[in-house]
Amino acid sequence: MQPILDIRSVQPDLYTYSLGAAAEGVLPRDDFFETAERCLQDAGEGLFLYFDRVQISFAGFALGSYPVARMVEDPMGLFRELMARIESIYRSRALPRRRAQAWRERLNSA
């Protein structure tokens, strides 16, 4: 079993996170952090002794399983990787819509 960490932006430059064992059963935090990297580090420090890996999501985007040690040792590098993963997910979902729209435009112009 891997815990699930979900980081969310509360407002610009203010983040929080929740931890859970299942997507429905999360424990929200009342703590707020100036950076998402600090959320990763704080959560990692709490999980480090008990878990090797954690499922990470950002604003509801499931991003995969990552080593807890990385959250503590390299939160900034991990955050960059997570943001690249979000961009990749977004682009892969947007591409089929763009192709479908271009196809519809071609059909309408014919």
PDB file of all heavy atoms in Angstrom, residues 12-37:
ATOM      1  N   PRO A  12      -2.426  32.075  -5.139  1.00  0.00           N
ATOM      2  CA  PRO A  12      -1.035  32.215  -5.609  1.00  0.00           C
ATOM      3  C   PRO A  12      -0.063  32.293  -4.428  1.00  0.00           C
ATOM      4  O   PRO A  12      -0.316  32.996  -3.450  1.00  0.00           O
ATOM      5  CB  PRO A  12      -1.050  33.527  -6.397  1.00  0.00           C
ATOM      6  CG  PRO A  12      -2.471  33.683  -6.827  1.00  0.00           C
ATOM      7  CD  PRO A  12      -3.303  33.082  -5.713  1.00  0.00           C
ATOM      8  N   ASP A  13       0.978  31.505  -4.494  1.00  0.00           N
ATOM      9  CA  ASP A  13       2.015  31.459  -3.460  1.00  0.00           C
ATOM     10  C   ASP A  13       1.515  30.944  -2.117  1.00  0.00           C
ATOM     11  O   ASP A  13       2.069  31.294  -1.067  1.00  0.00           O
ATOM     12  CB  ASP A  13       2.670  32.836  -3.272  1.00  0.00           C
ATOM     13  CG  ASP A  13       3.352  33.315  -4.535  1.00  0.00           C
ATOM     14  OD1 ASP A  13       3.893  32.466  -5.272  1.00  0.00           O
ATOM     15  OD2 ASP A  13       3.347  34.524  -4.798  1.00  0.00           O
ATOM     16  N   LEU A  14       0.487  30.091  -2.134  1.00  0.00           N
ATOM     17  CA  LEU A  14       0.022  29.450  -0.902  1.00  0.00           C
ATOM     18  C   LEU A  14      -0.520  28.067  -1.261  1.00  0.00           C
ATOM     19  O   LEU A  14      -1.432  27.941  -2.080  1.00  0.00           O
ATOM     20  CB  LEU A  14      -1.054  30.291  -0.219  1.00  0.00           C
ATOM     21  CG  LEU A  14      -1.394  29.887   1.210  1.00  0.00           C
ATOM     22  CD1 LEU A  14      -0.174  30.041   2.126  1.00  0.00           C
ATOM     23  CD2 LEU A  14      -2.545  30.727   1.732  1.00  0.00           C
ATOM     24  N   TYR A  15       0.079  27.040  -0.655  1.00  0.00           N
ATOM     25  CA  TYR A  15      -0.247  25.659  -0.975  1.00  0.00           C
ATOM     26  C   TYR A  15      -0.562  24.879   0.290  1.00  0.00           C
ATOM     27  O   TYR A  15      -0.138  25.236   1.381  1.00  0.00           O
ATOM     28  CB  TYR A  15       0.946  24.980  -1.683  1.00  0.00           C
ATOM     29  CG  TYR A  15       1.309  25.635  -2.978  1.00  0.00           C
ATOM     30  CD1 TYR A  15       2.160  26.739  -3.011  1.00  0.00           C
ATOM     31  CD2 TYR A  15       0.789  25.169  -4.176  1.00  0.00           C
ATOM     32  CE1 TYR A  15       2.486  27.350  -4.199  1.00  0.00           C
ATOM     33  CE2 TYR A  15       1.116  25.773  -5.379  1.00  0.00           C
ATOM     34  CZ  TYR A  15       1.957  26.863  -5.380  1.00  0.00           C
ATOM     35  OH  TYR A  15       2.271  27.472  -6.562  1.00  0.00           O
ATOM     36  N   THR A  16      -1.280  23.789   0.113  1.00  0.00           N
ATOM     37  CA  THR A  16      -1.535  22.851   1.193  1.00  0.00           C
ATOM     38  C   THR A  16      -1.559  21.455   0.593  1.00  0.00           C
ATOM     39  O   THR A  16      -1.495  21.303  -0.627  1.00  0.00           O
ATOM     40  CB  THR A  16      -2.855  23.170   1.937  1.00  0.00           C
ATOM     41  OG1 THR A  16      -2.911  22.384   3.135  1.00  0.00           O
ATOM     42  CG2 THR A  16      -4.062  22.920   1.069  1.00  0.00           C
ATOM     43  N   TYR A  17      -1.643  20.454   1.440  1.00  0.00           N
ATOM     44  CA  TYR A  17      -1.704  19.094   0.928  1.00  0.00           C
ATOM     45  C   TYR A  17      -2.579  18.237   1.825  1.00  0.00           C
ATOM     46  O   TYR A  17      -2.899  18.614   2.949  1.00  0.00           O
ATOM     47  CB  TYR A  17      -0.312  18.479   0.791  1.00  0.00           C
ATOM     48  CG  TYR A  17       0.426  18.219   2.086  1.00  0.00           C
ATOM     49  CD1 TYR A  17       0.257  17.022   2.779  1.00  0.00           C
ATOM     50  CD2 TYR A  17       1.309  19.154   2.617  1.00  0.00           C
ATOM     51  CE1 TYR A  17       0.940  16.767   3.951  1.00  0.00           C
ATOM     52  CE2 TYR A  17       1.996  18.906   3.779  1.00  0.00           C
ATOM     53  CZ  TYR A  17       1.812  17.713   4.456  1.00  0.00           C
ATOM     54  OH  TYR A  17       2.490  17.466   5.617  1.00  0.00           O
ATOM     55  N   SER A  18      -2.960  17.096   1.275  1.00  0.00           N
ATOM     56  CA  SER A  18      -3.701  16.111   2.047  1.00  0.00           C
ATOM     57  C   SER A  18      -3.051  14.752   1.819  1.00  0.00           C
ATOM     58  O   SER A  18      -2.422  14.514   0.790  1.00  0.00           O
ATOM     59  CB  SER A  18      -5.176  16.094   1.635  1.00  0.00           C
ATOM     60  OG  SER A  18      -5.309  15.841   0.258  1.00  0.00           O
ATOM     61  N   LEU A  19      -3.190  13.896   2.813  1.00  0.00           N
ATOM     62  CA  LEU A  19      -2.652  12.541   2.743  1.00  0.00           C
ATOM     63  C   LEU A  19      -3.782  11.556   2.959  1.00  0.00           C
ATOM     64  O   LEU A  19      -4.694  11.827   3.743  1.00  0.00           O
ATOM     65  CB  LEU A  19      -1.596  12.314   3.822  1.00  0.00           C
ATOM     66  CG  LEU A  19      -0.243  12.965   3.604  1.00  0.00           C
ATOM     67  CD1 LEU A  19       0.601  12.870   4.859  1.00  0.00           C
ATOM     68  CD2 LEU A  19       0.470  12.296   2.442  1.00  0.00           C
ATOM     69  N   GLY A  20      -3.706  10.424   2.291  1.00  0.00           N
ATOM     70  CA  GLY A  20      -4.709   9.396   2.484  1.00  0.00           C
ATOM     71  C   GLY A  20      -4.231   8.051   2.002  1.00  0.00           C
ATOM     72  O   GLY A  20      -3.179   7.935   1.378  1.00  0.00           O
ATOM     73  N   ALA A  21      -5.032   7.034   2.300  1.00  0.00           N
ATOM     74  CA  ALA A  21      -4.720   5.681   1.864  1.00  0.00           C
ATOM     75  C   ALA A  21      -5.530   5.313   0.631  1.00  0.00           C
ATOM     76  O   ALA A  21      -5.248   4.359  -0.041  1.00  0.00           O
ATOM     77  CB  ALA A  21      -4.995   4.694   2.985  1.00  0.00           C
ATOM     78  N   ALA A  22      -6.562   6.097   0.336  1.00  0.00           N
ATOM     79  CA  ALA A  22      -7.397   5.896  -0.852  1.00  0.00           C
ATOM     80  C   ALA A  22      -7.857   7.273  -1.306  1.00  0.00           C
ATOM     81  O   ALA A  22      -7.900   8.214  -0.510  1.00  0.00           O
ATOM     82  CB  ALA A  22      -8.590   5.013  -0.528  1.00  0.00           C
ATOM     83  N   ALA A  23      -8.186   7.393  -2.560  1.00  0.00           N
ATOM     84  CA  ALA A  23      -8.560   8.699  -3.109  1.00  0.00           C
ATOM     85  C   ALA A  23      -9.717   9.337  -2.341  1.00  0.00           C
ATOM     86  O   ALA A  23      -9.790  10.551  -2.222  1.00  0.00           O
ATOM     87  CB  ALA A  23      -8.921   8.553  -4.583  1.00  0.00           C
ATOM     88  N   GLU A  24     -10.620   8.522  -1.801  1.00  0.00           N
ATOM     89  CA  GLU A  24     -11.766   9.076  -1.090  1.00  0.00           C
ATOM     90  C   GLU A  24     -11.440   9.419   0.363  1.00  0.00           C
ATOM     91  O   GLU A  24     -12.109  10.232   0.977  1.00  0.00           O
ATOM     92  CB  GLU A  24     -12.936   8.083  -1.099  1.00  0.00           C
ATOM     93  CG  GLU A  24     -13.451   7.746  -2.477  1.00  0.00           C
ATOM     94  CD  GLU A  24     -12.607   6.686  -3.177  1.00  0.00           C
ATOM     95  OE1 GLU A  24     -11.988   5.847  -2.496  1.00  0.00           O
ATOM     96  OE2 GLU A  24     -12.555   6.708  -4.403  1.00  0.00           O
ATOM     97  N   GLY A  25     -10.475   8.767   0.951  1.00  0.00           N
ATOM     98  CA  GLY A  25     -10.192   8.945   2.370  1.00  0.00           C
ATOM     99  C   GLY A  25      -8.934   9.732   2.636  1.00  0.00           C
ATOM    100  O   GLY A  25      -7.935   9.174   3.060  1.00  0.00           O
ATOM    101  N   VAL A  26      -8.974  11.012   2.380  1.00  0.00           N
ATOM    102  CA  VAL A  26      -7.788  11.841   2.585  1.00  0.00           C
ATOM    103  C   VAL A  26      -7.923  12.640   3.869  1.00  0.00           C
ATOM    104  O   VAL A  26      -9.024  12.959   4.310  1.00  0.00           O
ATOM    105  CB  VAL A  26      -7.538  12.801   1.400  1.00  0.00           C
ATOM    106  CG1 VAL A  26      -7.247  12.018   0.140  1.00  0.00           C
ATOM    107  CG2 VAL A  26      -8.711  13.722   1.194  1.00  0.00           C
ATOM    108  N   LEU A  27      -6.795  12.935   4.456  1.00  0.00           N
ATOM    109  CA  LEU A  27      -6.757  13.767   5.646  1.00  0.00           C
ATOM    110  C   LEU A  27      -6.233  15.138   5.259  1.00  0.00           C
ATOM    111  O   LEU A  27      -5.044  15.303   4.987  1.00  0.00           O
ATOM    112  CB  LEU A  27      -5.837  13.146   6.703  1.00  0.00           C
ATOM    113  CG  LEU A  27      -6.245  11.775   7.218  1.00  0.00           C
ATOM    114  CD1 LEU A  27      -5.171  11.204   8.125  1.00  0.00           C
ATOM    115  CD2 LEU A  27      -7.570  11.858   7.950  1.00  0.00           C
ATOM    116  N   PRO A  28      -7.107  16.149   5.168  1.00  0.00           N
ATOM    117  CA  PRO A  28      -6.624  17.483   4.788  1.00  0.00           C
ATOM    118  C   PRO A  28      -5.774  18.088   5.895  1.00  0.00           C
ATOM    119  O   PRO A  28      -5.950  17.787   7.072  1.00  0.00           O
ATOM    120  CB  PRO A  28      -7.915  18.282   4.588  1.00  0.00           C
ATOM    121  CG  PRO A  28      -8.957  17.543   5.334  1.00  0.00           C
ATOM    122  CD  PRO A  28      -8.532  16.113   5.420  1.00  0.00           C
ATOM    123  N   ARG A  29      -4.861  18.919   5.498  1.00  0.00           N
ATOM    124  CA  ARG A  29      -3.989  19.617   6.442  1.00  0.00           C
ATOM    125  C   ARG A  29      -4.507  21.026   6.654  1.00  0.00           C
ATOM    126  O   ARG A  29      -5.091  21.620   5.765  1.00  0.00           O
ATOM    127  CB  ARG A  29      -2.565  19.691   5.874  1.00  0.00           C
ATOM    128  CG  ARG A  29      -1.915  18.375   5.588  1.00  0.00           C
ATOM    129  CD  ARG A  29      -1.332  17.772   6.788  1.00  0.00           C
ATOM    130  NE  ARG A  29      -0.345  18.689   7.340  1.00  0.00           N
ATOM    131  CZ  ARG A  29       0.527  18.369   8.263  1.00  0.00           C
ATOM    132  NH1 ARG A  29       0.542  17.169   8.747  1.00  0.00           N
ATOM    133  NH2 ARG A  29       1.378  19.234   8.714  1.00  0.00           N
ATOM    134  N   ASP A  30      -4.286  21.532   7.838  1.00  0.00           N
ATOM    135  CA  ASP A  30      -4.613  22.931   8.110  1.00  0.00           C
ATOM    136  C   ASP A  30      -3.390  23.819   7.913  1.00  0.00           C
ATOM    137  O   ASP A  30      -3.465  25.021   8.103  1.00  0.00           O
ATOM    138  CB  ASP A  30      -5.134  23.097   9.540  1.00  0.00           C
ATOM    139  CG  ASP A  30      -6.505  22.455   9.719  1.00  0.00           C
ATOM    140  OD1 ASP A  30      -7.263  22.389   8.733  1.00  0.00           O
ATOM    141  OD2 ASP A  30      -6.805  22.019  10.839  1.00  0.00           O
ATOM    142  N   ASP A  31      -2.252  23.198   7.580  1.00  0.00           N
ATOM    143  CA  ASP A  31      -1.019  23.948   7.382  1.00  0.00           C
ATOM    144  C   ASP A  31      -0.969  24.475   5.958  1.00  0.00           C
ATOM    145  O   ASP A  31      -1.411  23.825   5.020  1.00  0.00           O
ATOM    146  CB  ASP A  31       0.202  23.051   7.613  1.00  0.00           C
ATOM    147  CG  ASP A  31       0.256  22.504   9.033  1.00  0.00           C
ATOM    148  OD1 ASP A  31      -0.210  23.196   9.939  1.00  0.00           O
ATOM    149  OD2 ASP A  31       0.762  21.385   9.200  1.00  0.00           O
ATOM    150  N   PHE A  32      -0.384  25.656   5.814  1.00  0.00           N
ATOM    151  CA  PHE A  32      -0.209  26.253   4.498  1.00  0.00           C
ATOM    152  C   PHE A  32       1.265  26.567   4.309  1.00  0.00           C
ATOM    153  O   PHE A  32       1.967  26.901   5.252  1.00  0.00           O
ATOM    154  CB  PHE A  32      -1.057  27.521   4.367  1.00  0.00           C
ATOM    155  CG  PHE A  32      -2.529  27.238   4.493  1.00  0.00           C
ATOM    156  CD1 PHE A  32      -3.189  27.443   5.680  1.00  0.00           C
ATOM    157  CD2 PHE A  32      -3.234  26.749   3.410  1.00  0.00           C
ATOM    158  CE1 PHE A  32      -4.543  27.161   5.808  1.00  0.00           C
ATOM    159  CE2 PHE A  32      -4.585  26.462   3.516  1.00  0.00           C
ATOM    160  CZ  PHE A  32      -5.242  26.671   4.722  1.00  0.00           C
ATOM    161  N   PHE A  33       1.710  26.438   3.065  1.00  0.00           N
ATOM    162  CA  PHE A  33       3.122  26.616   2.748  1.00  0.00           C
ATOM    163  C   PHE A  33       3.262  27.589   1.582  1.00  0.00           C
ATOM    164  O   PHE A  33       2.393  27.654   0.723  1.00  0.00           O
ATOM    165  CB  PHE A  33       3.747  25.264   2.376  1.00  0.00           C
ATOM    166  CG  PHE A  33       3.593  24.233   3.464  1.00  0.00           C
ATOM    167  CD1 PHE A  33       2.485  23.404   3.510  1.00  0.00           C
ATOM    168  CD2 PHE A  33       4.551  24.113   4.455  1.00  0.00           C
ATOM    169  CE1 PHE A  33       2.335  22.457   4.507  1.00  0.00           C
ATOM    170  CE2 PHE A  33       4.407  23.179   5.464  1.00  0.00           C
ATOM    171  CZ  PHE A  33       3.297  22.347   5.492  1.00  0.00           C
ATOM    172  N   GLU A  34       4.377  28.311   1.547  1.00  0.00           N
ATOM    173  CA  GLU A  34       4.606  29.308   0.492  1.00  0.00           C
ATOM    174  C   GLU A  34       4.934  28.667  -0.849  1.00  0.00           C
ATOM    175  O   GLU A  34       4.768  29.303  -1.882  1.00  0.00           O
ATOM    176  CB  GLU A  34       5.712  30.264   0.910  1.00  0.00           C
ATOM    177  CG  GLU A  34       5.307  31.154   2.076  1.00  0.00           C
ATOM    178  CD  GLU A  34       6.420  32.106   2.496  1.00  0.00           C
ATOM    179  OE1 GLU A  34       7.508  32.070   1.875  1.00  0.00           O
ATOM    180  OE2 GLU A  34       6.187  32.876   3.434  1.00  0.00           O
ATOM    181  N   THR A  35       5.404  27.427  -0.829  1.00  0.00           N
ATOM    182  CA  THR A  35       5.748  26.749  -2.078  1.00  0.00           C
ATOM    183  C   THR A  35       5.230  25.310  -2.053  1.00  0.00           C
ATOM    184  O   THR A  35       5.085  24.701  -0.988  1.00  0.00           O
ATOM    185  CB  THR A  35       7.268  26.704  -2.322  1.00  0.00           C
ATOM    186  OG1 THR A  35       7.881  25.895  -1.309  1.00  0.00           O
ATOM    187  CG2 THR A  35       7.876  28.100  -2.317  1.00  0.00           C
ATOM    188  N   ALA A  36       4.992  24.775  -3.232  1.00  0.00           N
ATOM    189  CA  ALA A  36       4.596  23.370  -3.343  1.00  0.00           C
ATOM    190  C   ALA A  36       5.768  22.468  -2.959  1.00  0.00           C
ATOM    191  O   ALA A  36       5.559  21.379  -2.423  1.00  0.00           O
ATOM    192  CB  ALA A  36       4.128  23.074  -4.758  1.00  0.00           C
ATOM    193  N   GLU A  37       6.996  22.924  -3.201  1.00  0.00           N
ATOM    194  CA  GLU A  37       8.171  22.155  -2.821  1.00  0.00           C
ATOM    195  C   GLU A  37       8.208  21.938  -1.311  1.00  0.00           C
ATOM    196  O   GLU A  37       8.572  20.868  -0.835  1.00  0.00           O
ATOM    197  CB  GLU A  37       9.468  22.853  -3.263  1.00  0.00           C
ATOM    198  CG  GLU A  37       9.621  22.962  -4.750  1.00  0.00           C
ATOM    199  CD  GLU A  37       9.096  24.288  -5.309  1.00  0.00           C
ATOM    200  OE1 GLU A  37       8.116  24.847  -4.765  1.00  0.00           O
ATOM    201  OE2 GLU A  37       9.666  24.750  -6.302  1.00  0.00           O
TER     202      GLU A  37
END
